[in-house]
Structure formats: structure tokens, C-alpha cells
Amino acid sequence: MMSWLPENVSTYGGDIDSIIRLIYYITSAWFFLTLGVFLLFLILYRRREGRRATYIRGDRLAEAAWILIPALIVLVLDLWIDFRGADAWAKVKGRVPPGDLRVQVTAKQFNWEILYPGPDGKFGTADDLQLENEMHVPVNKVVRVTLKSKDVIHSFFLPNLRLKQDAVPGREIEGWFQATKPGRYEMPCAELCGFGHSGMNGWLHVHPADEYQKWVKEHWPTS
Amino acid sequence: MSDPVAVLAIPEASLHHEELGFWRTYLFSTEHKTIGKQYLSLGLFMTIVGGFLAYVMRWQLAYPDTEVPGWGFVGPEFYNVLVTMHGTIMVFFVAMPILLGAFGNFLIPLMIGARDMAFPRLNMLSFWTLFVGTLVLLASFFVPGGAASAGWTGYPPLSAKAIYTGVNWGLNLWILAHAIEFASFLMGGVNFLTTAITMRAPGMTFFRLPLVVWQLLTAATLFLLSVGPLIAGAVMLLMDRIAGTSFFLPEGGGEPLLWQHLFWFFGHPEVYVILLPAVGFVCEVLPVFCRKPLFGYRWIIYSTITAGILSFVVWAHHMFLSGMDPRLAMPFSITTILISVPFAILVFAMIATLWGGSIRFTTPMLFALGFVSMFIVGGLTGIFNGSAPADIYITDTYFVVGHFHYTLFSAVVFGGFAGIYFWFPKMFGRMMNETLGKVHFWLTLIFFNATFFPMHILGLGGMMRRIANPMQYQFLQPLQPINVFITFSAILLLVAQIPFAVNFVWGLVAGTPAERNPWEANTLEWAAPSPPPHLNWGEAIPTVHRGPYEYSSPEGPEDWLPQDRLVVARSS
Ligand SMILES: [Cu+2]
Ligand SMILES: [Cu+2]
């Protein structure tokens, strides 16, 4: 099952995958255990001529323990999953690192506008560079993304980097990622945003350091 | 424990049978059993509509932008209509009318030993209100611009301005249809609660109520308490659309996330409004066909109530990535995980009921067992969604679609059919065919899993919900064979309902006449004739002497002991 996950190319993707994997193992074990007991009972206690069912009501605590204790184990496993996951959540969504590179992503029906601050490092100045559906970043650098929307809610999704975040009009939402492998990765929208939602897509280009410098030289306006 | 229970006196006059005309008997009836059947007919009809939408949707996903056989070209605009209307119809106009409306109305008075609902005219009004709501919803397909296309969750700003979707009146009618539906179920819920609290037969204490009554009451209560905020939200959304207000529009100072809070504050309890009645049917069916008391009756009641209370503090698990403060994720993740405990108790109690039983694999029992096994899968996959970090990847993918079909759709399909096959003899006075029923069950079980299990794989592969054409994405193209497989499984799942349709119609007109108590069950509805007459009980209301699940009790030689049977040498 877990092999269906797309290749992970971000620093925190592994943390998310390991939580998914942990839940997968725990739930699979429970599935086979409960379904096994369930089927076993169905076979063992099928109707047989001359055998009367056992009269047990299961209201007394001593009897109910048969269902309460397994439920308690469920609780413990659940809490374990939750606390194991707390770090991964904090890492991805909690305090956003300052970042080596800042990019603004503005969603609109039905494109991603990618804005670079340009050589002066400030947004909203004449040397900004704007691209449509195309983001270029260097490998192994922390990229800080500011998400905005011009119209409706969209969701910025980078499957290979295990990053997803809604873009909400009226808000600026901060996010980040650090890609670990050069390549081209798809950047679809994951929230229904109108008739062009299907096909709202972009590409993240992760470049090796020197290639990225070349791209900057060729495309960024010179100051 | 004291037994006396307040019984509302039925006016003497109403006991005398008055001749009602055709209209009052079949259409504008105030009789709870007729109204229950009306809800059932409406729900089954809307299932056909919602199922057809699912078929068109699935064909588009398997063979994007080709002619759908029996429909035609779909395209992205209409695909969004399909997504929206399929969800809305199945949740509000199929699941609620069948599970809550049909069975709540039919069962509550019979199971508590009452002659009718507390407010029969209000009951009639609630059905016809729903009928009007259904017409409004169906009419929205035919207005210029077409039906709503902002998703069944209707997130603004997409839903708040016509320019964003190109749908104007279709979406206004969609909101209106919801408002009417809510009004209908509010009236219905008040009736359920009043009836069950005030009109129980002598001896029917709260802890002798069949569990399905508890679960229907909990569902009705959850609906009453949660729907208020959403009604306020719906009014605000409609105002944003037609009066130029900006409750949800940031350019006018509004807040898009407010809707999500209001919607999911209702939305999560709503899941249990649908789920709990189905759990209730299973609780009734299991002991009858295990010939054994349901394990842990009181624990099930406590678990049901606990789950109901917790359902009010989990809503933000639908919003982990919505832009709300990320520090809220952990608290809501924990409440979400806590709610798995009462449901684990419910499932374990169902499994423990099988232990030491004498299990009869009748059609209703097969569907009940199907529900238990599918609910285990749905509960376990929910843990992926409930964990905030896993949800970063999982949310808005087909994993979620797979998960909620395993919980909600299995409640409707397996819970609903368990209920229909079980109570059909009581409702219509005839038996359904067992062989056809079993064929229906096995085909449904196989194609249900073949349809919804692979959706988890699509979700892990990253396939987003609500996209009309997966082939537009390179990373999804290798997954396309799975989409084709799901489509054909879904078509076969729909085809698998034909044996049911045949069985139902055949049963209505030509089924073997049913005895009073064909399953040898204990609860009060089986003490009335099949079908029960007007006012249910003839001259005397039954008196209740014990709990609902005294099967194979040492008190008697038979393996069943009806709630109303008086045993002379009875210990305490
Ligand atoms: Cu979108
Ligand atoms: Cu929920």
C-alpha cells in the first residue's frame, strides 16, 4: 500500500510518511485481529441443531471488561499516534523558518501566480519577477512561501514534497519546504475552486545550486 | 428502579375507526406508519437520482471528456454539479429520509408501545416540507445556469458569488432546499423526542427501550443542537449572494473560514445523525439472529451518548489545512481520537454479541454483519484523517472519499438494507425473498469493496477530490487503470441493486403473508399484527415487563421472551 505514495523529495516528507506508515501498521494489525475474531465467531457459533445460545448480557463490569479493555488499548494506540505525530505537525506547520529564499504564491481562478522579490529581496518593488504556474527553487535550500488568493479558496499541493495548504482570500498564510532532489514536480490545486479546478496545475522546478544561479541570471531583472 | 411511566391519554374518540378518504389515507396521512413509508419511498427515489449522478461522474473519471452512455458529454462545469448534487442528495435526501425519517417514524411509536407520534399533524407537515425541499432541489437542475456546483460543503467565496461558479439561481435554490430540509427534520426531531419521552407504554422505562430508539433519539438531539449555527450560516450565505452583504467575502470585511466553522460544527454531528440510526438497526438485528442478548446494553447507551457529546468538539479536524491557527490542530486531533473509544466499544460489543450465539444467516443478519465489518474498515481509515500530520498529505484526496463512503455509505447500504429486510414484514405484511436477498447481499458486499477500497490507493497516490479529469496530471496518469476499475465496480454495484428492486416490488404484491412475529423477536413492534392496524394496538396498549434482548434467557423454555409477555414466576 505505502508504495503508492509518490517519491518523497522534501526534508519533512519522511516524517509525514513515517506517521502514515505507523498508522498503516497499527490499523492493519487491528483490522486482521478484529476481522479474524469476527469471522471466527461467525463460524464457531453458527446455528447448530440442539444448541442453545449462551445467556450473557455483558452489563456487569467483569463481563464488560471484554469490550472495555480492548477499547482502552485502542485509546492508548490512538494517543501514541497523536503524540508521535505532534512533532511532524509542529515541524511542517508550526514555526516557519525564515528561509533562504522567499516566494509569494497567489492563487486565482485558475492559475498560480509565483512572485519573486527580485535582487532587492523585497516584494512590491519594480524588480519583482512574476511567473505563471512555474516555480524555480534551488535544491537543499529552505524556501519560504507566502500563500494568498485573489478570489476563492484554493489549496496549494506539492505531492512529492508532502506539502498542502489552503490559500484563503483575505489572508496571508506562511509555509515552507526544502527540496532534497533536483527535478520537475507537479503543483496542483487540491480544493474545488470552480470550473477550471480540474487542470489547475503548475510545476515546481528544483535546480542544483549552479543551475539555479544560471536561471536567476537569465530571468531575474538586473538591478 | 420505579416502573411507572407517564402515558399520554389518547382521546377515546380517536380509537373508533373513522373512514378516511383516499387522500387522507395514502397522501396527506397523519399516521406514523404511512408517513414512514412515504419517507422511504422518497428516499429510495432520490437514491436512483443520486446513484445515476454517481454513474455519470464515474464514467467521466474513467474516460474523461467522452460521451457518457445514457447521458452525453459532461465537461468540467457539469462535473462540479455532479460532485455537488451527488453529495447533497445522498446525505440530505437519501440517508436522512431513509435512516431517520422512514425508520424513526415507523419504529418509535411501535417500539415504545404508543398509538402514534405525539404530534401527528406536525409529522405530516414534516414529510410534506421535505417533499417540497426535494422538489426545490430537483428544480435547481432546470433553472438557467444549472444546479449548484460549489461542492456539497459549499465553501465561500466560491459559493458566495455567482461569478465564481457561473451558477446563480441553481445555488440559491440549493441553499433554499437545505433550509426547507432542515425545517423538516427539526419538526421530525421534536416529534421523535416528545413521543419517546412522554408516550412510552406502561413498564417501558428508559433502560428497557430498544437501542435503536436510543440511537434515533441521540441522532435527533444532535441534529437539533447542531443545525442552528448552520441555518444562521445559510442565511448569511444567501444574503451574500442576493443582498450584497459580505459575511464571507474578505473584500467587504467578511471571513471565509467562518462558514467552515459553522458548516463543520453541524457537519460532524450530522455524520452521526446518519450513522447512529444504522448502528441502531444493527443493534436490533444482531441479538434476534444470535438468539442472545446484545452484549453490554448499558455500555452501548453510554457510548452512544458520549460519542454524541464529543461530536460537538471535533469539527476542526475538517479544517487542519484551512488556514486556522496550526496550534488548534493538536487539541482537535486529540478529541477526534477520543471519539474512537465509544465507537470501538460499540463495535466490540457487536462482536462480543456473536460469542456463544446461535447465529442464523438471514438476509437482514448478513447486512448487519456487513455493516460491522465495513464499519471496522471505515473507523480504521479515519485514523489517517484524524492525525493532523498524516492529514497534510491525505486531506482533499480520494483517501477521504474512500473513508467516508466506508462509514456513511455503508451505514446507508448495509445498515439501511438490514433495516428494510428486517422490518419489511412488519411494514407491509409480506415477506421478502431470502434467496434474492442473499444474492443482493453478496453482490453488494463484493462491489462495494471493489469500488471504495481502491480509492484509498488513489488517495495515497495523491489523486485530488473533485477533479473532472485525472489525465490532466502527469503523476496521476499511471493510476488511471485504477479509476477504470473503480468505475466498472461502481456500475456493477448499481446493477447489484436490481435483485433488491425486484425483491421489494415482488414482496409488496406477491410476497408470502407475514406472521405477526416471523423472526421470533422480543421488541414490541412484533407484538402488533403485520402490518399493524391504525392506532397499532387494538383496545389495549401492551405492558412491558423486561428489557428488549432477553433471548435464550433461563427464565423460559423458548429462546425468546417478548418484552410484553407476562411470566408468572418471575424473579425480580
Ligand atoms: Cu482548485
Ligand atoms: Cu468530522
Side-chain angles (χ1 to χ4, degrees):
Chain A
M1 279 296 274
M2 292 302 112
S3 59
W4 290 97
L5 288 166
E7 186 193 9
N8 161 44
V9 296
S10 77
T11 46
Y12 52 59
D15 300 68
I16 290 178
D17 288 0
S18 76
I19 288 293
I20 295 179
R21 205 165 279 123
L22 173 76
I23 302 175
Y24 174 66
Y25 292 135
I26 292 179
T27 52
S28 301
W30 267 110
F31 172 76
F32 287 112
L33 196 71
T34 43
L35 213 73
V37 172
F38 175 76
L39 291 174
L40 188 73
F41 284 2
L42 289 184
I43 295 165
L44 282 181
Y45 301 111
R46 67 188 184 278
R47 178 190 195 175
R48 294 222 199 98
E49 229 25 79
R51 192 181 64 186
R52 197 179 162 99
T54 327
Y55 179 78
I56 316 163
R57 299 176 44 165
D59 271 338
R60 284 183 300 114
L61 201 58
E63 293 168 351
W66 284 99
I67 58 173
L68 297 180
I69 289 172
L72 211 69
I73 300 173
V74 169
L75 178 65
V76 171
L77 288 174
D78 279 353
L79 288 174
W80 183 38
I81 289 170
D82 243 17
F83 288 113
R84 269 285 320 266
D87 292 339
W89 175 262
K91 191 167 168 185
V92 184
K93 297 288 176 184
R95 184 170 288 279
V96 178
D100 304 312
L101 169 69
R102 298 199 56 176
V103 186
Q104 234 177 54
V105 175
T106 308
K108 63 172 191 207
Q109 287 180 325
F110 298 96
N111 281 302
W112 305 113
E113 283 179 6
I114 314 293
L115 190 70
Y116 288 87
D120 68 350
K122 290 197 188 80
F123 289 106
T125 50
D127 65 350
D128 290 1
L129 171 71
Q130 189 181 310
L131 303 171
E132 294 257 305
N133 297 329
E134 203 183 309
M135 190 193 280
H136 296 261
V137 300
V139 73
N140 294 327
K141 290 278 193 262
V142 174
V143 180
R144 185 172 172 142
V145 181
T146 305
L147 260 184
K148 300 199 223 173
S149 170
K150 279 188 175 164
D151 37 45
V152 302
I153 298 175
H154 302 262
S155 192
F156 182 71
F157 185 23
L158 285 165
N160 293 92
L161 290 102
R162 309 291 187 265
L163 174 62
K164 194 184 285 137
Q165 177 59 55
D166 286 3
V168 183
R171 291 187 177 221
E172 291 188 9
I173 299 166
E174 300 291 320
W176 71 284
F177 64 84
Q178 186 175 2
T180 54
K181 191 182 158 193
R184 268 171 98 235
Y185 306 103
E186 267 168 304
M187 196 165 70
C189 169
E191 183 74 73
L192 180 64
C193 55
F195 68 86
H197 167 58
S198 188
M200 176 168 170
N201 198 3
W203 288 94
L204 171 72
H205 300 258
V206 178
H207 300 286
D210 49 335
E211 200 183 295
Y212 179 74
Q213 282 315 319
K214 217 175 105 208
W215 176 81
V216 168
K217 232 179 242 134
E218 281 170 16
H219 293 86
W220 284 28
T222 39
S223 45
Chain B
M1 273 286 189
S2 63
D3 270 11
V5 163
V7 181
L8 281 194
I10 296 279
E12 263 313 299
S14 70
L15 274 175
H16 300 293
H17 200 75
E18 42 177 317
E19 273 310 314
L20 299 169
F22 170 82
W23 294 98
R24 288 288 312 279
T25 314
Y26 295 105
L27 226 49
F28 297 105
S29 170
T30 56
E31 227 257 277
H32 74 100
K33 300 184 288 295
T34 308
I35 293 174
K37 290 173 199 168
Q38 290 173 327
Y39 273 104
L40 185 65
S41 322
L42 183 74
L44 289 175
F45 171 75
M46 291 305 281
T47 313
I48 298 172
V49 181
F52 183 73
L53 298 183
Y55 154 73
V56 178
M57 210 174 357
R58 276 312 322 172
W59 190 275
Q60 160 72 18
L61 286 171
Y63 304 108
D65 300 338
T66 60
E67 294 276 314
V68 179
W71 176 260
F73 187 75
V74 172
E77 282 100 338
F78 189 67
Y79 186 82
N80 289 349
V81 172
L82 292 171
V83 165
T84 306
M85 297 302 275
H86 168 75
T88 301
I89 287 174
M90 289 307 198
V91 170
F92 294 107
F93 295 87
V94 171
M96 287 181 72
I98 293 180
L99 300 180
L100 206 59
F103 286 102
N105 273 297
F106 185 80
L107 292 178
I108 290 176
L110 279 169
M111 286 188 135
I112 65 170
R115 294 193 180 277
D116 205 322
M117 282 290 189
F119 310 116
R121 284 198 187 84
L122 188 70
N123 205 15
M124 177 177 82
L125 183 64
S126 58
F127 172 76
W128 286 103
T129 306
L130 179 68
F131 187 80
V132 171
T134 311
L135 289 184
V136 171
L137 191 78
L138 291 176
S140 77
F141 278 106
F142 302 102
V143 295
S149 62
W152 85 279
T153 49
Y155 280 7
L158 185 64
S159 59
K161 264 189 180 177
I163 48 158
Y164 290 142
T165 52
V167 177
N168 188 15
W169 270 100
L171 221 150
N172 295 349
L173 291 180
W174 178 83
I175 298 173
L176 189 64
H178 277 83
I180 299 172
E181 206 260 10
F182 294 158
S184 159
F185 278 94
L186 276 172
M187 292 188 278
V190 167
N191 227 338
F192 286 8
L193 287 165
T194 317
T195 307
I197 292 169
T198 62
M199 294 171 69
R200 283 165 289 122
M204 182 60 94
T205 61
F206 277 107
F207 282 111
R208 284 178 178 172
L209 279 176
L211 282 170
V212 70
V213 177
W214 272 101
Q215 269 130 359
L216 285 164
L217 294 186
T218 312
T221 311
L222 294 183
F223 187 80
L224 291 176
L225 294 178
S226 66
V227 79
L230 188 58
I231 292 176
V235 172
M236 292 191 267
L237 188 60
L238 198 62
M239 289 298 114
D240 276 7
R241 290 183 65 83
I242 62 179
T245 56
S246 304
F247 290 106
F248 303 120
L249 294 169
E251 60 270 29
E255 173 54 77
L257 288 196
L258 172 62
W259 168 267
Q260 294 185 30
H261 285 291
L262 298 174
F263 184 88
W264 290 116
F265 181 79
F266 162 79
H268 197 90
E270 168 70 11
V271 170
Y272 298 157
V273 170
I274 292 168
L275 191 63
L276 287 176
V279 168
F281 306 159
V282 175
C283 287
E284 297 308 313
V285 170
L286 284 181
V288 174
F289 298 108
C290 288
R291 312 310 292 168
K292 191 172 169 281
L294 195 69
F295 193 91
Y297 172 85
R298 285 193 184 221
W299 295 100
I300 291 179
I301 295 173
Y302 301 145
S303 299
T304 304
I305 294 171
T306 310
I309 293 168
L310 283 174
S311 76
F312 286 102
V313 290
V314 297
W315 78 91
H317 64 205
H318 298 268
M319 300 172 59
F320 287 146
L321 304 180
S322 65
M324 70 172 189
D325 193 322
R327 286 170 302 178
L328 283 173
M330 273 302 134
F332 278 100
S333 212
I334 288 169
T335 54
T336 301
I337 257 159
L338 286 178
I339 213 166
S340 68
V341 173
F343 280 106
I345 293 177
L346 281 173
V347 169
F348 294 146
M350 288 172 178
I351 296 177
T353 303
L354 304 174
W355 187 86
S358 172
I359 301 169
R360 287 136 167 87
F361 296 98
T362 59
T363 306
M365 182 63 166
L366 287 175
F367 275 99
L369 295 170
F371 175 83
V372 176
S373 50
M374 294 303 101
F375 189 60
I376 292 172
V377 179
L380 290 172
T381 54
I383 296 177
F384 289 84
N385 302 308
S387 157
D391 203 50
I392 295 174
Y393 183 70
I394 298 288
T395 191
D396 282 325
T397 69
Y398 263 74
F399 195 96
V400 179
V401 181
H403 161 71
F404 67 67
H405 280 90
Y406 262 94
T407 47
L408 288 190
F409 189 53
S410 80
V412 179
V413 169
F414 294 100
F417 282 128
I420 290 175
Y421 281 103
F422 186 60
W423 282 295
F424 187 90
K426 186 57 61 186
M427 279 188 169
F428 301 105
R430 290 178 187 276
M431 303 299 287
M432 286 175 89
N433 180 287
E434 274 288 303
T435 314
L436 267 180
K438 283 172 184 163
V439 170
H440 174 216
F441 168 75
W442 286 108
L443 292 178
T444 302
L445 184 75
I446 291 166
F447 293 116
F448 177 94
N449 283 289
T451 303
F452 298 110
F453 193 78
M455 289 189 182
H456 298 100
I457 296 175
L458 289 179
L460 287 177
M463 181 170 160
M464 295 79 71
R465 293 172 69 177
R466 295 162 166 178
I467 52 169
N469 182 357
M471 298 302 279
Q472 289 169 309
Y473 305 87
Q474 277 181 21
F475 77 112
L476 296 180
Q477 284 168 8
L479 299 174
Q480 193 57 14
I482 303 179
N483 269 315
V484 175
F485 177 82
I486 292 176
T487 296
F488 282 98
S489 304
I491 291 171
L492 290 171
L493 179 60
L494 292 171
V495 171
Q497 306 314 307
I498 292 173
F500 168 75
V502 171
N503 203 350
F504 192 86
V505 175
W506 180 85
L508 277 182
V509 294
T512 343
E515 300 159 36
R516 188 179 283 251
N517 192 353
W519 312 116
E520 301 187 334
N522 284 349
T523 40
L524 281 189
E525 79 273 26
W526 302 104
S530 301
H534 187 56
L535 301 176
N536 297 343
W537 308 108
E539 290 300 312
I541 284 179
T543 304
V544 174
H545 301 286
R546 63 185 62 76
Y549 306 120
E550 294 298 297
Y551 294 95
S552 302
S553 148
E555 272 185 66
E558 288 159 316
D559 63 359
W560 52 303
L561 195 51
Q563 285 193 279
D564 62 329
R565 184 181 296 169
L566 187 66
V567 177
V568 183
R570 192 164 66 91
S571 58
S572 150

